[in-house]
Amino acid sequence: MARRTTLDDAEVRAPVAEDLFEPPDWAIARGRSRASLRMAAIGVRRTWPLLIAVSLGMLAAVTLICTAPVYTALSSEVQLQHTLAAQSSTDINTEALVTSFAVSKDNASAIGQRMDGLAQTYYSSFAPTSTSYVTGTQPMLMPEINGKDSGSLLIPGAQATIFGYDLAQAGPHMKLFAGRLPQETPAGQPPEALITTKMPNVHVGDTIKLVMFGGHDQSTVVKVVGVWYPKDESDPFWNGRSFDTIIADAVNPPPPVYPIVFSKSTFVSALTFAPQAPNERPLGMALHYVYFTDPQRVTASTIDTTIAQIKAFRSHLNGDLPGSSGVFTVSLGTKLDAILGDLQRQFSLLSLPLYVIVAQVVGLALLFVVAMAGLLIEGQSAEIATLKSRGASGTQLLMSYTLQGVLLAALAALLGPILAAALSQTLVTAFIPSTAKLVNSQYLARAVASQSVWLPALLGALLSVLALVIAALRSARLDVLAFRREQGRGGQVPFWRRYYLDVALAVLCALGYLELGQFGGLNIREQLGTTDAQTGPDPLLLAAPALLLLAGALLTLRLFPLGAAIGARLAAWGRGATGMLAFSQVSRVSSAFGRLTLLLTLSVGVGLFALNYQASLGRNVADRAAYVAGADELIAVGTGAQPEAKMNQRLAAMPGVQGMTPVFRSQAGSADDPGAIVGTLAIDPATFAGISNWRDDYATQPLDALMREMAAHSQGKSAGDSDHPIWTLVDSTFANTYHLRPGDRFQRTPTECPAPLNFVVGAIVTQFPTVYDTFPDGYMIVPINDFFTAIVTPAIGGGSGQQPNEYWLRTTADTNAAAARTKALGDAALAVTSVTSRRALQTQYQQDPLTAGMTGLLLIGALTAAALAILGAIAQSALTARQRTQQFAILRTLGMSGGQLVRMLLSEQTIVYCFGLLGGTALGLALSSATLPYLQFSSSITNPDQANIPAYLFVFNTPGAMLFYGALAVAFLLSLLLAARVAATVGLGRTLRLGED
């Protein structure tokens, strides 16, 4: 009989076969990995629409993160080339001048070798070509021509400046009118030379005797073999060297100086004038070395190196050459290092708005990734909870979604830099067409391959994966029971809400803007000189707008459940349960709707900020041009202009001129403080208001009222004396410096008047067109008739008659009339020295590479914000409706009709959309009004001559906002229709099956 096995026997029985072959740990790990891979593959197959949305968010984040360095480098490059192209060749080229005590072939050779070595070391990278020539250190006399006195052929006292050029280099830039180029001559033969067409009565074959000043025994005879003149006097080869002969009028004229050109080798070997007496000096030589800068070799990334090379070249030039080879002075003439330094500072300042925009849109893209990842995980929350309850480990679930995220992030990291380069190229070529040659495929390939692009790409991909992992961790914690509880009652109060982190962020944001108001704005930073080209964007300017966005969005989320609860109470008073159920659901499960609310709030806020920034930028570019020009056109005239009445008549008759006002620009000093100089602008109050460009914030009173008051206080023939002070507008700087208020009197001495005049403060203005901070003590605006009367009144001290030196015109926009007017203003009788056109300036400012490029970037920012909001709304609506099919089915069984179910769902979505739109609009307006004053994006802030440009105004972009909200409304309508379709097709049988878990 078989013995029954007891519990004790079971405990001590021998191990069975399956116990002896338990798999090792590595095999278990491999099995779990394979399971994770299978789960990931199944998840991809089932949730590919949401994975596409997540991948788009990742790609947008990575692309925008990469756009910042690519676009910054590209816009800086464009601005650099734009600036260098606008400079004269003499400013960007370098001319080194080395003077030696005597003309010496050996010294010239030694100096040349030393200069070639320095140029090869420091200049070859950006100035590969060069030329050199030599001049005498003093002019020469020409007492004889052809052995006879030159007085009958040349103006008495005529002098010559002698040059020695490498004619092989210079020949292609010279135009020979007669003869040939000089050649080497045997010893004892006169050296050959060229003269210009400006030397009269001297011809090819003539000889000229050259004699040194103070050493008449030091002379030589040269033979003229050719007559020449530069093909183009503005040719960069001549580097500003003029070969013209200027002969003054007959009243005390200086002696004319004629250029005579030799070959360089003849100059240093044949023109060695030896002193004949102990106190005589030999003719010295000045060696000129010109290095031609190739703008294409100067890039934004090499600005630091180029400036350092110029500095090192200057240092070695000053330290090594003096005292050797007869050298007694050296100098280096170039503005290239100063131009590059200004550009470098400008890049540092003006990159701030770029980074602010990119930082906001990148943050929005990452939030979109978090939102879509959350939707992705929530869409499978039931499956996750079931798998969790049936033994699936949290590690397996986490690895499954991490693998999906890594794959998507890797794809985004690969495509992001390429799309960033394409986006940057599109922006630059679309808004700055003149730069198409610069933005070629080779340049973009170098930009994409740069470490500064791939590191941000990897960072964006890592942040995207992290967002997906965080969402997966939260759902992986829930089993079936916890999932049902979470779905029915909503989650716990978020960490940030429990500890009032949103309020703390709001306080920190306020402190940040307070700090910006003192030291952070672009104008303040530029004025204080606190911007270093190496510091990059100011962290405070980057952090403050981001803090405002985050704090505002979180405060909106804090108010969201409260608003929904209030709505539910109000809906309870109405008829039907649809509205009350909608508000109750939103209030009870606010976390599920909060994600979309947060995304919509930030999307609308960022989009509205970008649109307002774009409108404000355009408005303030126009304001800047209007301020610089003063009117439609500012005509400056010099001495010798026709009388005022004749000028008025001629200008008024020109094509397109609709009005005109005379202006006299001068300055005045103080007898008590000779250094206190104030600017003076004399205007005609009768015509000024109708011609000038004026903005209401320039003064507390309208311009018409100020001009009427100025005209009413005309003092006539007694203007300027103690009993009849001139009624004057003064700026706030002048008033604050001298503690003046309206009605106070003061004295100033205009440049045109030897005695002080009396003035009275009529009103104080903050700004006035065409007047800048050139005068530290401010400026004053006076009536032109009283001012002219005062400075010519004998009792005051007398003076010469004056007439306006500027005429401000109001003109039509007709281009043909403008061309005809430009031609008419070229009449010498008008003595026009400059013409400043408001329309031309506005076009120039709008086409400025940095300004035009920023306009494109703002447009991309607004479009990205709208696209993310639309995509998020549609995805959220579709998934939310599908996730709640069981709830809808239960409501149907309780008696709710299909129409009521659809209305409830649409009401929930409408509540979220309205809350997001309202919160985003308020946030966008707050962000725009608080941030734009610190982002005065204009290259003019780096121009010290125009430091007092008008303050930027906040402009609401009404047309752009209407399009933006219209696109959102259409998208919301589509998402509502999609959600309604899902709710209307809920099937009770399929939804309420038992045993699904």
Side-chain angles (χ1 to χ4, degrees):
M1 181 177 183
R3 188 172 64 91
R4 295 181 59 186
T5 303
T6 63
L7 182 59
D8 293 338
D9 294 330
E11 289 177 351
V12 297
R13 69 179 175 84
V16 295
E18 54 267 24
D19 294 331
L20 293 175
F21 294 98
E22 183 177 352
D25 292 341
W26 64 267
I28 296 175
R30 185 176 63 179
R32 290 176 177 176
S33 300
R34 289 179 177 177
S36 298
L37 288 174
R38 287 195 298 270
M39 291 172 63
I42 295 172
V44 169
R45 190 168 59 250
R46 296 182 58 186
T47 62
W48 63 267
L50 276 176
L51 282 176
I52 291 178
V54 172
S55 63
L56 289 176
M58 290 182 175
L59 188 59
V62 173
T63 300
L64 290 170
I65 288 177
C66 295
T67 298
V70 173
Y71 185 76
T72 300
L74 186 56
S75 61
S76 299
E77 194 73 42
V78 171
Q79 183 70 9
L80 171 64
Q81 297 301 324
H82 178 82
T83 301
L84 293 180
Q87 304 297 320
S88 66
S89 60
T90 55
D91 289 340
I92 64 174
N93 292 337
T94 300
E95 182 168 344
L97 177 62
V98 182
T99 56
S100 181
F101 288 109
V103 178
S104 168
K105 182 178 181 180
D106 293 337
N107 286 348
S109 177
I111 294 171
Q113 291 179 1
R114 180 61 179 156
M115 294 299 296
D116 289 344
L118 290 175
Q120 181 63 31
T121 302
Y122 299 110
Y123 266 50
S124 59
S125 60
F126 63 90
T129 59
S130 64
T131 189
S132 63
Y133 65 96
V134 61
T135 61
T137 54
Q138 57 181 323
M140 309 290 289
L141 296 175
M142 297 185 293
E144 297 179 4
I145 295 179
N146 294 327
K148 298 180 181 180
D149 183 50
S150 63
S152 60
L153 300 175
L154 300 175
I155 296 175
Q159 301 172 9
T161 299
I162 56 176
F163 296 83
Y165 268 93
D166 182 349
L167 296 177
Q169 277 190 321
H173 305 275
M174 305 171 76
K175 182 177 182 180
L176 279 175
F177 292 91
R180 58 174 174 80
L181 294 176
Q183 298 176 356
E184 294 289 337
T185 57
Q189 295 292 324
E192 296 180 349
L194 295 172
I195 63 172
T196 67
T197 56
K198 304 299 180 71
M199 183 181 288
N201 303 318
V202 181
H203 308 89
V204 174
D206 292 345
T207 59
I208 303 174
K209 183 178 182 180
L210 300 178
V211 178
M212 280 189 60
F213 275 95
H216 293 277
D217 293 331
Q218 302 180 51
S219 63
T220 189
V221 176
V222 301
K223 182 180 180 181
V224 177
V225 297
V227 180
W228 80 288
Y229 206 70
K231 291 181 179 179
D232 181 5
E233 292 184 88
S234 61
D235 187 340
F237 177 83
W238 304 115
N239 199 45
R241 168 66 68 179
S242 175
F243 296 93
D244 197 6
T245 301
I246 300 176
I247 302 177
D249 56 30
V251 181
N252 298 321
V257 181
Y258 300 99
I260 297 179
V261 177
F262 302 85
S263 69
K264 186 177 179 180
S265 58
T266 298
F267 189 107
V268 298
S269 60
L271 301 181
T272 54
F273 294 93
Q276 302 297 318
N279 60 344
E280 291 182 357
R281 289 186 175 182
L283 175 67
M285 62 179 178
L287 296 161
H288 303 254
Y289 298 89
V290 182
Y291 305 98
F292 302 107
T293 298
D294 181 2
Q296 299 298 327
R297 290 175 174 255
V298 182
T299 64
S301 60
T302 62
I303 284 181
D304 287 335
T305 304
T306 303
I307 294 175
Q309 288 173 330
I310 296 174
K311 183 179 179 180
F313 188 95
R314 182 180 286 114
S315 176
H316 282 283
L317 190 68
N318 293 328
D320 298 350
L321 287 179
S324 63
S325 303
V327 175
F328 67 95
T329 63
V330 295
S331 64
L332 191 68
T334 184
K335 294 183 180 178
L336 181 60
D337 52 343
I339 293 171
L340 295 180
D342 289 342
L343 278 172
Q344 196 174 46
R345 184 180 64 164
Q346 181 175 324
F347 295 158
S348 177
L349 283 172
L350 301 185
S351 63
L352 290 170
L354 169 68
Y355 277 94
V356 167
I357 294 296
V358 171
Q360 292 179 2
V361 182
V362 166
L364 180 61
L366 290 176
L367 174 64
F368 178 81
V369 172
V370 173
M372 293 300 100
L375 287 177
L376 175 68
I377 302 301
E378 286 183 5
Q380 304 176 68
S381 294
E383 291 83 355
I384 292 174
T386 301
L387 291 173
K388 182 76 173 178
S389 300
R390 293 180 177 178
S393 67
T395 303
Q396 287 178 311
L397 296 173
L398 186 60
M399 285 182 60
S400 171
Y401 290 101
T402 302
L403 289 173
Q404 297 178 29
V406 168
L407 178 63
L408 297 177
L411 185 62
L414 290 174
L415 295 178
I418 300 174
L419 293 178
L423 176 61
S424 300
Q425 182 185 24
T426 302
L427 290 175
V428 172
T429 54
F431 291 91
I432 319 172
S434 60
T435 61
K437 293 182 180 180
L438 174 67
V439 188
N440 50 36
S441 57
Q442 292 80 7
Y443 179 88
L444 290 175
R446 291 195 304 270
V448 172
S450 172
Q451 184 181 14
S452 62
V453 175
W454 284 105
L455 287 180
L458 294 176
L459 175 62
L462 181 61
L463 291 175
S464 300
V465 173
L466 183 62
L468 189 63
V469 169
I470 291 174
L473 279 174
R474 182 173 177 272
S475 292
R477 294 183 296 104
L478 304 178
D479 55 16
V480 172
L481 183 59
F483 168 71
R484 300 301 183 194
R485 189 183 303 113
E486 179 84 6
Q487 191 179 43
R489 300 179 182 176
Q492 297 179 350
V493 178
F495 174 82
W496 58 267
R497 189 183 297 176
R498 292 201 306 269
Y499 294 95
Y500 296 94
L501 293 184
D502 51 344
V503 178
L505 285 175
V507 173
L508 186 60
C509 175
L511 293 176
Y513 277 101
L514 180 63
E515 179 71 12
L516 285 178
Q518 299 296 322
F519 299 107
L522 292 185
N523 278 346
I524 297 174
R525 296 178 66 214
E526 190 272 335
Q527 293 168 11
L528 295 179
T530 56
T531 53
D532 186 351
Q534 303 298 326
T535 59
D538 182 4
L540 192 58
L541 265 174
L542 292 177
L547 287 176
L548 179 56
L549 270 176
L550 185 58
L554 292 181
L555 287 174
T556 301
L557 283 187
R558 178 176 290 275
L559 296 176
F560 181 58
L562 178 61
I566 294 175
R569 293 182 181 181
L570 294 177
W573 293 90
R575 298 181 60 184
T578 302
M580 184 187 66
L581 287 175
F583 278 106
S584 298
Q585 177 69 15
V586 171
S587 174
R588 185 166 53 90
V589 195
S590 59
S591 59
F593 297 98
R595 186 186 300 110
L596 179 59
T597 303
L598 181 62
L599 180 62
L600 291 179
T601 300
L602 291 177
S603 298
V604 174
V606 171
L608 197 59
F609 171 75
L611 292 172
N612 290 337
Y613 193 178
Q614 186 183 36
S616 300
L617 181 62
R619 165 64 186 274
N620 289 290
V621 163
D623 285 351
R624 177 191 167 198
Y627 190 89
V628 172
D632 289 342
E633 285 188 8
L634 187 154
I635 311 298
V637 299
T639 57
Q642 292 181 336
E644 180 180 354
K646 185 68 173 177
M647 289 289 294
N648 291 340
Q649 181 181 2
R650 293 197 58 181
L651 292 174
M654 287 186 178
V657 175
Q658 296 178 321
M660 176 182 55
T661 186
V663 175
F664 183 77
R665 192 181 302 273
S666 182
Q667 58 189 42
S670 172
D672 300 330
D673 184 4
I677 305 297
V678 296
T680 305
L681 199 68
I683 62 174
D684 180 10
T687 58
F688 186 81
I691 305 299
S692 67
N693 298 319
W694 184 262
R695 213 168 70 181
D696 292 339
D697 61 332
Y698 291 169
T700 57
Q701 302 178 54
L703 181 61
D704 289 339
L706 293 175
M707 294 298 100
R708 285 196 301 269
E709 197 167 353
M710 178 180 283
H713 286 82
S714 175
Q715 301 301 313
K717 296 181 179 180
S718 302
D721 64 22
S722 57
D723 295 328
H724 299 84
I726 299 175
W727 196 89
T728 307
L729 297 173
V730 299
D731 77 319
S732 54
T733 301
F734 186 93
N736 294 333
T737 301
Y738 297 100
H739 309 289
L740 297 174
R741 294 178 296 177
D744 292 347
R745 297 190 178 192
F746 63 95
Q747 288 188 333
R748 279 296 180 274
T749 305
T751 304
E752 300 77 16
C753 184
L757 301 179
N758 294 278
F759 301 88
V760 61
V761 178
I764 298 174
V765 297
T766 56
Q767 288 175 313
F768 206 87
T770 74
V771 182
Y772 309 103
D773 288 341
T774 309
F775 301 98
D777 287 344
Y779 54 88
M780 56 185 190
I781 315 298
V782 297
I784 192 169
N785 292 333
D786 282 0
F787 187 73
F788 282 171
T789 299
I791 63 177
V792 300
T793 301
I796 300 298
S800 60
Q802 295 290 338
Q803 67 179 53
N805 53 20
E806 292 180 1
Y807 293 89
W808 294 12
L809 310 180
R810 185 177 72 250
T811 61
T812 63
D814 186 1
T815 55
N816 294 328
R821 190 166 57 251
T822 300
K823 183 178 180 181
L825 290 173
D827 188 347
L830 298 176
V832 174
T833 58
S834 66
V835 178
T836 305
S837 170
R838 175 186 61 82
R839 297 183 180 92
L841 282 177
Q842 183 171 341
T843 301
Q844 174 188 336
Y845 297 156
Q846 289 173 340
Q847 293 178 351
D848 181 83
L850 289 176
T851 302
M854 175 56 72
T855 301
L857 186 65
L858 290 168
L859 180 61
I860 292 298
L863 291 176
T864 302
L868 294 179
I870 291 171
L871 188 58
I874 294 176
Q876 174 85 9
S877 297
L879 186 64
T880 300
R882 288 192 177 94
Q883 285 180 331
R884 296 171 60 192
T885 52
Q886 292 184 358
Q887 180 187 14
F888 295 160
I890 294 173
L891 291 174
R892 289 289 302 275
T893 61
L894 294 177
M896 180 175 283
S897 66
Q900 289 177 320
L901 191 64
V902 171
R903 286 196 297 273
M904 184 191 73
L905 180 61
L906 296 184
S907 299
E908 294 172 359
Q909 299 296 327
T910 303
I911 293 170
V912 173
Y913 295 158
C914 291
F915 211 91
L917 285 175
L918 292 176
T921 301
L923 184 58
L925 293 176
L927 183 64
S928 301
S929 58
T931 306
L932 289 183
Y934 305 108
L935 298 179
Q936 298 191 6
F937 188 90
S938 169
S939 57
S940 66
I941 63 175
T942 62
N943 184 354
D945 295 332
Q946 296 182 0
N948 193 34
I949 61 173
Y952 271 31
L953 296 178
F954 167 70
V955 178
F956 185 80
N957 192 343
T958 302
M962 292 179 64
L963 291 175
F964 184 74
Y965 286 118
L968 291 180
V970 172
F972 294 162
L973 179 60
L974 293 177
S975 63
L976 290 175
L977 293 175
L978 180 61
R981 182 176 180 276
V982 173
T985 57
V986 173
L988 294 180
R990 185 176 67 254
T991 303
L992 296 180
R993 290 176 185 171
L994 298 178
E996 286 292 329
D997 293 334

